[in-house]
Amino acid sequence: MARMDARAQDALRPVEILPHINKFAEGSCLIRWGNTHVLCTASVEERTPPHVPDGEGWVTAEYSMLPRANRERSRRDISKLKLAPRSAEIQRLVGRALRAAVDSRKLGERTITIDCDVLQGDGGTRTASVTGGYVALALACRKLMEEGVLREMPLTTQVAAVSAGIVDDVPLLDLCYEEDSSAMVDLNCVMTREGELVELQGTGEGRAFTIQEQRQLVDLCAKGIRELLAIQAAVLEGGAL
């Protein structure tokens, strides 16, 4: 099928990651993924939540969409006095994904919070948050190493994420908003540099899908994630490990 932006079925939208976008955060980047733009910042605190075992660190995330990130203005979560369920679900996903790349003991008793603020949303904001969030996390860890706060790099691998879906019975990689809104099947995938799955979220929006179709979508995601990992490594000048 012909895609609205003339991409191949297995092609990503253009992806650009601009590091050090915030001079105050320990790590930061702006990820531009097609028309989706997410600001990712990493903040370090010398304390951990009560549930974290002694001697270990913690990586967590917060996610929010700015009021005009979408086609119509949305209310800020603070105006509703509670976090929107979608925001809560996405920030838990981002936190889980990034913790998969960290040795919590090497991080020590400190917390790194990754804030993902969507400046403009056109599909794939959660996958952009994971992919950009890793770069912000890696830059923060590198800064801690350079300052002598950490003796060993706590990162153990890279992680990135991408979506795929079935539109008009055709598997497609990296859905934009228009494709996502009409998708029969939607799947989000988080993988490590070694090709291991961290998270797989698949939903039959318009119809059920088969195991074979799921494998097709995962294979598409694996191809896209390999490309995203290369972009991350280039931004980090060969990697943060």
Side-chain angles (χ1 to χ4, degrees):
M1 65 174 288
R3 305 185 74 170
M4 59 180 300
D5 53 6
R7 279 184 291 146
Q9 293 172 215
D10 64 349
L12 293 171
R13 290 171 289 174
V15 179
E16 180 183 27
I17 301 177
L18 306 175
H20 309 297
I21 203 74
N22 182 307
K23 73 175 184 178
F24 300 113
E26 283 80 3
S28 67
C29 73
L30 173 65
I31 180 166
R32 295 173 177 164
W33 191 328
N35 288 320
T36 290
H37 302 168
V38 184
L39 174 64
C40 303
T41 57
S43 302
V44 180
E45 296 177 278
E46 296 297 319
R47 59 180 180 176
T48 58
H51 71 274
V52 177
D54 291 344
E56 296 186 13
W58 185 247
V59 175
T60 188
E62 293 191 10
Y63 169 97
S64 181
M65 295 190 73
L66 295 186
R68 277 318 303 263
N70 280 321
R71 286 151 179 78
E72 296 180 359
R73 185 184 186 277
S74 60
R75 293 174 61 195
R76 297 179 191 270
D77 285 343
I78 189 64
S79 71
K80 296 173 282 188
L81 301 180
K82 64 178 181 179
L83 187 63
R86 180 177 180 274
S87 296
E89 184 247 326
I90 292 175
Q91 67 186 37
R92 286 195 294 267
L93 165 67
V94 177
R96 288 193 301 270
L98 298 180
R99 286 194 293 274
V102 174
D103 183 326
S104 60
R105 288 204 166 273
K106 289 182 180 178
L107 182 58
E109 294 185 353
R110 56 185 52 86
T111 297
I112 301 182
T113 300
I114 310 298
D115 285 293
C116 303
D117 291 292
V118 180
L119 310 181
Q120 184 170 284
D122 188 49
T125 62
R126 73 185 65 201
T127 55
S129 295
V130 171
T131 304
Y134 173 82
V135 171
L137 172 64
L139 291 171
C141 290
R142 179 183 291 174
K143 181 178 176 65
L144 293 175
M145 289 285 291
E146 292 171 349
E147 293 177 345
V149 176
L150 295 178
R151 290 181 294 177
E152 295 181 85
M153 173 57 74
L155 293 179
T156 58
T157 188
Q158 280 177 259
V159 292
V162 74
S163 70
I166 298 176
V167 181
D168 294 335
D169 293 316
V170 179
L172 302 176
L173 177 66
D174 187 20
L175 305 183
C176 65
Y177 174 80
E178 287 81 4
E179 291 170 335
D180 185 55
S181 62
S182 61
M184 299 171 169
V185 178
D186 183 36
L187 184 141
N188 296 297
C189 181
V190 184
M191 281 185 177
T192 68
R193 184 178 55 194
E194 293 74 25
E196 296 174 330
L197 288 167
V198 177
E199 186 128 1
L200 199 59
Q201 301 177 333
T203 306
E205 301 281 358
R207 65 166 173 83
F209 58 106
T210 66
I211 295 295
Q212 182 181 6
E213 287 175 323
Q214 182 196 52
R215 289 172 178 161
Q216 288 179 316
L217 295 176
V218 172
D219 286 343
L220 281 175
C221 289
K223 175 186 180 294
I225 286 173
R226 287 192 294 271
E227 296 173 16
L228 292 167
L229 294 170
I231 293 170
Q232 288 176 331
V235 170
L236 296 167
E237 299 174 349
L241 305 184

